[in-house]
Amino acid sequence: MSTDDVYALMARSQELPYGEARTVLVEDALRRAEAAGDEVLAFHVRVRLTDAYRYGGEPAKAFATFSRTLADHDRDPGRFDETHGLLWQMKAIVSSLTLFPEIPLDRTYAVLDDMERRYKAGGHSLQAVYHYRNVVARHVGDGTADDWYVKWRSAERDELSDCEGCDPTGMARHLVEAGRHEEAFEVAAPVLSAQLNCNEQPQSIQTALLPVYLRTGRADQAADAHRRAYRVHRTRLADLGDIAEHLEFCAVTGNEARGLEILQRHIGWLDRAPSAHADMEFSAAAALLLGRVAAAGHGAATIRRPGPDGRAADVPLDELRADLAERATALAARFDARNGTSHQGGKVRATLDAEPVVEFVPLAAHHRRPATPQATAPEPAPARQDDLAAVDDLDEILEIGDQRRRSSDLPGMLAAWRRFDAVAETAEPTPLQRARRLDARGVEHAVDGDAEKAAAAWDEASRLFGELGDETRRHRTLGRLGAVRIDLGDEDGFDLLVTAADHFTANPGEAADTASALLRLATAHIRFDRPGDALAVLDGVPEDASGQAPDHLGELWFLRGQALLLTDRADEAAAALRRSMEAARASADPELVASPALLLARTLARRESGPDDEVFALLDEVIGVVPGPSPMLAAAHSERGLAFLAVDRPADAVADLVEGIAAWTAAGLQPQAVELRVDLAAAYLSTDRALEAAEAAEEALPGLDGDYARRCRLILAHAQKQLGEEEAATLFTGLAEDAAREGQHDAVAHFLNEAADVLTALDMDAQAAERYAQAAEAYEKTGDPFGVVRTRRRAALCLMWSGDRDGAVTAMETARAALAALPPDNEPARVWETALTSFEQARVLAQAGRLDEAASHASAAVDGFTAIDQTDPAEDATRLLEDIRAALT
C-alpha cells in the first residue's frame, strides 16, 4: 500500500461535509495507513477519524479511536505528537460520555480528572475543565453546576477554551436551565453579530437562545434564529438533539405545521440516533409537538414513519405520540438510574407538559396563524332596526324586500324578510306570497354561500310560480336557478338561462328583467369560453336597462370587456372596462369598481411596454375599495406585487406579495398561494435577502411542476449559493441535466459553471474541477470558445488546489490547446485570454516543480498583459516571474 493513497483519501475527505461518506473515506485511509505499516501516519489519520465520528453522528465510535491515539501519545509523545489536538478532543469526549446511559458515571469523572491533570501539567488554564465539569453537573443535576459555572466564568481563557461562539453558548445553556434568561442574553449578545466559523457555530448559539428570545419578548429574533440555525442542523445527523429544540420551539410558538414538516423529515433518524440522549430529547419534543397538533383539532392525522428495513408506514398521530412519549420516558429512567438523580426524567416531563410560550410567532412575513375552529357558534349580529315594525301588509313587505335587494341593501333586505316571517305567523300568506317568500329564501341562501339550498328553494319557487301562471316571476327565478346550477357544476343549468333569456326577449316588460336574463346568459357563454356568443347576447341588452337597474350598465361593459379579451381585442376590451368602471363609480356601491379595475390593470400590465402609472393607480383603487379579506383583495395585492417586480422594484413588491400569499392561503386557495411564493422568492433574492428567498422557494417547490418548478429551483439554487450551502451545487447540476435532455447546451454550460463556482467557494475543489470540465464540454457544443478556455483553466486551478498537481498540469494544457479556437476578429480578448492562461499555467507548473517551464509562461503573461495595457495583471505576472526566477537560483 502506498502512503500517497492515504494522503489522497484524506484530501478527498476534507472536501466532504461530516457524515457517512466522509467517515468511510477516513476509515479507508486508516486501513491503508495501517497496511502500509506507517504508525505515525495511522496515528494522525486516527485523530481525524475521531472528529469524523463525532461530527458525523457516531460519537460512540470516537471513544475507541480517541483512547488509542491518547495511549499512543502517552507511550511516545515525541513520535506521536499532537498534544493540542488530543487535549482539545478530550472536552468533547467528556461531554459524549454522558450521552450513553450504559457508560458508568465514574468513567466520565475519571476522564474529567485526567483532563484536569493534563491541563495543569501543560500549564494551561483550567477554564475548559471547569466548563465541562459544569456540563456533567448539569446533566446529572447534582446541585454543583452553578459553582462550576462561577469558576468557569472567572477563569482565564486560553487556546484550549472553546471558541468565542461555543463558550458563551454553553454559558447561555446553563443560565437558561437556571431560568436566568436576561443574563443568558447578556452573555451571548457580544458574539451574536460576530463572524463565527466553527463547525458548530453560529447555529449552536442561535439554537441555545431560542428560549431566551421567547421569554424576553424578542419573538422576531427567535424566528430568525430558528430559521437560520435549523437550515444548518437539518443536514447533520449529529445535530439530532439540536433539532429537538427546534421541534419544541415550533410546539410552543403556534407553528405546529412547521414542526410537523421537521418531524416528518427527521423521524427516520431515530433508528440511527447519534446517542441515547439525542434520541430521548427528540422523542420528547416530537411527542410535545404531536400533542399540540392534536389539540389544534388534527388528532386524526397520520405520520409517515420509515422503518429500519427501509419500508415506511403511516402511523396514527395519537399512536406515534404515545410511543414517543413512552420512549423518551424510558430513556430518561435509564439515565436517572445511572446518574442516581431524577433530573433527566424531570426534564422529559417538563418537555412533554410544556405549554405555549406565545400564541403565535410568524416565521415569515406571509405566515398567518390559522383560524381555530370555534367550539360554539358565534353570537348572531343584532338585527337591523328600521321602520318596518309598523308595516303589516305582506305584499308591501315583499316589495320593500325586493327593492332593497335591487339596491344591494342586504341588511335591509334581510330585515324586510324577517318582518314578513313575523307577520306571516298571524296572517296567512297567499300562494303567491308564499312563492315570493320561497324565492327570497333562495336569495338568503345564496347570500350565505349555500348554493345547494338556494337551488332547492328556487326550484320549488319556480314550480309554484308556474302553477300560479306568473310567467314573469317564474322566468326570473329560472334565471337565478340556471346560474346557481352552473356554479354547482351542472351544465344543464345553461338551458334554464336560455329559457329565461328567450322569454324576456320575446315578452319585453321591464328592461331590467331582460337585461338580467341576458347578462346571466352572456356570463355563462364566457364561462364556457364562447366569447362570440357572449358578445352577440350582450348586443341584445336593452339600452334603457341601466335606468331601471343602475348596476346593469357596469356589468354589461364588464362582460363585454371579458369577451373582447378572449378574442384578443385588448384595446377594445380596455375601452369597455373603462366604461364599466365609469358606471360603477356612478353607482351607490363603490365596490363594484373593483372587478373591472382589476381586470383592466391586468390587461394593461401585460402589454409589451409593461405596467405603467395607470396600472398602479387602478390597483391602488381596488385595494382601497375592497373592504376586507377576500379573493378579490388577494388578487389585487398579487397583481400589484407582480407589477412592481415587472418594473424592477422588488423591494416594493415584497409587501404586496406577502399579503397576497397570506390572503390566498386564508381563503384556502393553495395553488395561487404556492405559485405566488415563487415570485416572492424572486423578490427576496433581488433584494439580497437570500435566507427568505430560500425558504419561500422551499415552501413552494413541493406543490409545483413544469416551468414553475424549474424557475423555483433556479431561484432556490441562487439563494443557496448566496448562503454558501452545498445544496446549491446539486440544484444547479440537476438544472443542467434537465437542460441537457432538452438539448439546451448553452444552459447546460451555464448551470454546470454555477455548480462549479459553488463548490469552489466551499473549497470542494476536486468536485469543482469535475464540474468545470463538464461545463467546458457543453461550451464546445454551443460553439463558445471563450467559455471553453475559461472553464478548462478553472478546472486546472481547482485540481491544483485539491493537491492533484499532475492532473492540474494536464488540464492546463487542454486549456492552452483551446486557445486555438478563439476568433481572430477580437484581438484584445484573444490576447487577454492567452495571457491569463499563461499566467495560470505558470502557477500550476511552479507548484508541480517545473520551474523552467513556469518561468517561460510567466514571461509570456507579462508580455501579453503589457501589450493590451493591463497594468495590474502585468504587475502580478511580473512578481510571479520574479518569484519563480528566485526559486531557480
Side-chain angles (χ1 to χ4, degrees), residues 75-100:
R75 175 167 51 85
D76 191 347
R79 188 176 182 215
F80 302 106
D81 182 16
E82 200 164 332
T83 305
H84 181 276
L86 293 172
L87 292 180
W88 185 274
Q89 287 181 341
M90 205 167 202
K91 299 181 297 181
I93 294 299
V94 168
S95 181
S96 296
L97 286 169
T98 66
L99 307 180
F100 299 89

Short mmCIF file of all heavy atoms in Angstrom, two decimals, residues 75-100:
data_model
loop_
_atom_site.label_atom_id
_atom_site.label_comp_id
_atom_site.label_asym_id
_atom_site.label_seq_id
_atom_site.Cartn_x
_atom_site.Cartn_y
_atom_site.Cartn_z
N ARG A 75 2.60 6.86 25.17
CA ARG A 75 3.69 5.90 25.02
C ARG A 75 4.93 6.54 24.40
O ARG A 75 6.05 6.25 24.82
CB ARG A 75 3.21 4.72 24.16
CG ARG A 75 4.27 3.68 23.82
CD ARG A 75 3.61 2.42 23.26
NE ARG A 75 2.70 2.68 22.18
CZ ARG A 75 3.06 2.80 20.90
NH1 ARG A 75 4.34 2.70 20.57
NH2 ARG A 75 2.16 3.02 19.97
N ASP A 76 4.74 7.45 23.45
CA ASP A 76 5.89 8.06 22.78
C ASP A 76 5.50 9.47 22.31
O ASP A 76 5.21 9.69 21.12
CB ASP A 76 6.33 7.20 21.59
CG ASP A 76 7.68 7.64 21.03
OD1 ASP A 76 8.14 8.74 21.39
OD2 ASP A 76 8.25 6.88 20.23
N PRO A 77 5.45 10.46 23.22
CA PRO A 77 4.98 11.81 22.87
C PRO A 77 5.79 12.44 21.75
O PRO A 77 5.25 13.21 20.94
CB PRO A 77 5.14 12.59 24.16
CG PRO A 77 5.17 11.56 25.24
CD PRO A 77 5.82 10.35 24.65
N GLY A 78 7.07 12.13 21.69
CA GLY A 78 7.89 12.72 20.65
C GLY A 78 7.52 12.23 19.27
O GLY A 78 7.59 12.97 18.28
N ARG A 79 7.12 10.97 19.17
CA ARG A 79 6.78 10.39 17.88
C ARG A 79 5.32 10.65 17.50
O ARG A 79 5.01 10.95 16.35
CB ARG A 79 7.04 8.88 17.94
CG ARG A 79 6.91 8.18 16.58
CD ARG A 79 7.29 6.73 16.71
NE ARG A 79 7.22 6.05 15.42
CZ ARG A 79 6.85 4.80 15.27
NH1 ARG A 79 6.53 4.06 16.32
NH2 ARG A 79 6.81 4.25 14.06
N PHE A 80 4.45 10.52 18.47
CA PHE A 80 3.02 10.74 18.22
C PHE A 80 2.63 12.07 18.85
O PHE A 80 1.97 12.14 19.89
CB PHE A 80 2.19 9.59 18.81
CG PHE A 80 2.58 8.24 18.27
CD1 PHE A 80 3.30 7.34 19.05
CD2 PHE A 80 2.23 7.89 16.98
CE1 PHE A 80 3.65 6.10 18.56
CE2 PHE A 80 2.58 6.64 16.47
CZ PHE A 80 3.30 5.75 17.25
N ASP A 81 3.05 13.13 18.20
CA ASP A 81 2.95 14.46 18.78
C ASP A 81 1.78 15.23 18.19
O ASP A 81 1.90 15.84 17.12
CB ASP A 81 4.26 15.22 18.56
CG ASP A 81 4.23 16.60 19.20
OD1 ASP A 81 3.35 16.82 20.05
OD2 ASP A 81 5.06 17.44 18.84
N GLU A 82 0.66 15.20 18.87
CA GLU A 82 -0.48 16.05 18.52
C GLU A 82 -1.17 16.42 19.83
O GLU A 82 -2.38 16.24 20.00
CB GLU A 82 -1.43 15.35 17.54
CG GLU A 82 -2.31 16.38 16.82
CD GLU A 82 -2.99 15.82 15.58
OE1 GLU A 82 -2.46 14.90 14.95
OE2 GLU A 82 -4.07 16.33 15.24
N THR A 83 -0.39 16.94 20.75
CA THR A 83 -0.85 17.19 22.12
C THR A 83 -2.05 18.13 22.14
O THR A 83 -3.07 17.84 22.79
CB THR A 83 0.29 17.80 22.96
OG1 THR A 83 1.41 16.93 22.89
CG2 THR A 83 -0.15 17.97 24.40
N HIS A 84 -1.96 19.24 21.44
CA HIS A 84 -3.05 20.22 21.49
C HIS A 84 -4.35 19.60 20.96
O HIS A 84 -5.42 19.76 21.56
CB HIS A 84 -2.69 21.45 20.66
CG HIS A 84 -3.75 22.51 20.66
ND1 HIS A 84 -4.83 22.49 19.81
CD2 HIS A 84 -3.91 23.62 21.45
CE1 HIS A 84 -5.60 23.52 20.05
NE2 HIS A 84 -5.06 24.24 21.04
N GLY A 85 -4.26 18.88 19.84
CA GLY A 85 -5.46 18.27 19.27
C GLY A 85 -6.10 17.27 20.20
O GLY A 85 -7.33 17.21 20.34
N LEU A 86 -5.30 16.47 20.89
CA LEU A 86 -5.85 15.47 21.81
C LEU A 86 -6.48 16.13 23.02
O LEU A 86 -7.56 15.71 23.49
CB LEU A 86 -4.76 14.51 22.24
CG LEU A 86 -4.22 13.60 21.11
CD1 LEU A 86 -3.02 12.81 21.59
CD2 LEU A 86 -5.32 12.66 20.62
N LEU A 87 -5.84 17.17 23.57
CA LEU A 87 -6.43 17.87 24.71
C LEU A 87 -7.73 18.57 24.30
O LEU A 87 -8.67 18.66 25.10
CB LEU A 87 -5.43 18.89 25.27
CG LEU A 87 -4.19 18.30 25.95
CD1 LEU A 87 -3.28 19.41 26.45
CD2 LEU A 87 -4.58 17.38 27.11
N TRP A 88 -7.75 19.04 23.09
CA TRP A 88 -8.99 19.67 22.60
C TRP A 88 -10.10 18.62 22.46
O TRP A 88 -11.24 18.86 22.88
CB TRP A 88 -8.71 20.33 21.24
CG TRP A 88 -9.89 21.11 20.72
CD1 TRP A 88 -10.92 20.63 20.00
CD2 TRP A 88 -10.15 22.50 20.92
NE1 TRP A 88 -11.81 21.62 19.72
CE2 TRP A 88 -11.36 22.79 20.26
CE3 TRP A 88 -9.46 23.53 21.57
CZ2 TRP A 88 -11.91 24.07 20.25
CZ3 TRP A 88 -10.01 24.81 21.55
CH2 TRP A 88 -11.22 25.07 20.90
N GLN A 89 -9.78 17.46 21.87
CA GLN A 89 -10.80 16.42 21.70
C GLN A 89 -11.30 15.89 23.04
O GLN A 89 -12.43 15.42 23.14
CB GLN A 89 -10.22 15.27 20.88
CG GLN A 89 -10.05 15.59 19.40
CD GLN A 89 -9.50 14.42 18.62
OE1 GLN A 89 -8.92 13.49 19.19
NE2 GLN A 89 -9.68 14.44 17.30
N MET A 90 -10.47 15.97 24.07
CA MET A 90 -10.83 15.42 25.37
C MET A 90 -12.11 16.08 25.90
O MET A 90 -12.93 15.43 26.57
CB MET A 90 -9.68 15.64 26.35
CG MET A 90 -9.64 14.65 27.49
SD MET A 90 -8.05 14.76 28.33
CE MET A 90 -8.00 13.13 29.10
N LYS A 91 -12.31 17.35 25.60
CA LYS A 91 -13.51 18.06 26.05
C LYS A 91 -14.77 17.40 25.49
O LYS A 91 -15.74 17.16 26.21
CB LYS A 91 -13.44 19.52 25.62
CG LYS A 91 -12.26 20.30 26.17
CD LYS A 91 -12.26 21.75 25.72
CE LYS A 91 -12.12 21.90 24.24
NZ LYS A 91 -12.09 23.32 23.81
N ALA A 92 -14.73 17.11 24.19
CA ALA A 92 -15.90 16.50 23.55
C ALA A 92 -16.12 15.08 24.05
O ALA A 92 -17.27 14.62 24.16
CB ALA A 92 -15.73 16.51 22.04
N ILE A 93 -15.03 14.38 24.36
CA ILE A 93 -15.18 13.02 24.87
C ILE A 93 -15.89 13.03 26.21
O ILE A 93 -16.80 12.22 26.46
CB ILE A 93 -13.80 12.35 24.99
CG1 ILE A 93 -13.17 12.16 23.60
CG2 ILE A 93 -13.91 11.01 25.71
CD1 ILE A 93 -13.96 11.27 22.65
N VAL A 94 -15.54 13.98 27.07
CA VAL A 94 -16.22 14.10 28.37
C VAL A 94 -17.71 14.31 28.16
O VAL A 94 -18.55 13.63 28.77
CB VAL A 94 -15.63 15.27 29.18
CG1 VAL A 94 -16.51 15.58 30.38
CG2 VAL A 94 -14.21 14.95 29.64
N SER A 95 -18.04 15.26 27.29
CA SER A 95 -19.46 15.56 27.04
C SER A 95 -20.17 14.34 26.44
O SER A 95 -21.30 14.02 26.84
CB SER A 95 -19.56 16.74 26.09
OG SER A 95 -20.90 17.08 25.84
N SER A 96 -19.51 13.64 25.53
CA SER A 96 -20.15 12.50 24.86
C SER A 96 -20.39 11.34 25.81
O SER A 96 -21.37 10.59 25.66
CB SER A 96 -19.29 12.02 23.68
OG SER A 96 -19.20 13.02 22.69
N LEU A 97 -19.51 11.17 26.80
CA LEU A 97 -19.67 10.06 27.74
C LEU A 97 -20.98 10.14 28.51
O LEU A 97 -21.55 9.11 28.90
CB LEU A 97 -18.50 10.03 28.72
CG LEU A 97 -17.16 9.54 28.15
CD1 LEU A 97 -16.03 9.83 29.14
CD2 LEU A 97 -17.22 8.05 27.83
N THR A 98 -21.48 11.36 28.71
CA THR A 98 -22.75 11.50 29.45
C THR A 98 -23.95 11.08 28.62
O THR A 98 -25.04 10.90 29.17
CB THR A 98 -22.95 12.96 29.90
OG1 THR A 98 -23.12 13.79 28.73
CG2 THR A 98 -21.77 13.46 30.72
N LEU A 99 -23.79 10.94 27.30
CA LEU A 99 -24.93 10.75 26.41
C LEU A 99 -25.38 9.30 26.27
O LEU A 99 -26.35 9.03 25.58
CB LEU A 99 -24.58 11.30 25.02
CG LEU A 99 -24.08 12.76 24.97
CD1 LEU A 99 -23.79 13.16 23.54
CD2 LEU A 99 -25.08 13.70 25.62
N PHE A 100 -24.65 8.38 26.93
CA PHE A 100 -24.96 6.96 26.82
C PHE A 100 -25.16 6.39 28.22
O PHE A 100 -24.21 6.30 29.01
CB PHE A 100 -23.82 6.23 26.10
CG PHE A 100 -23.59 6.73 24.70
CD1 PHE A 100 -22.70 7.79 24.45
CD2 PHE A 100 -24.27 6.18 23.63
CE1 PHE A 100 -22.49 8.25 23.18
CE2 PHE A 100 -24.06 6.65 22.34
CZ PHE A 100 -23.17 7.70 22.11
#
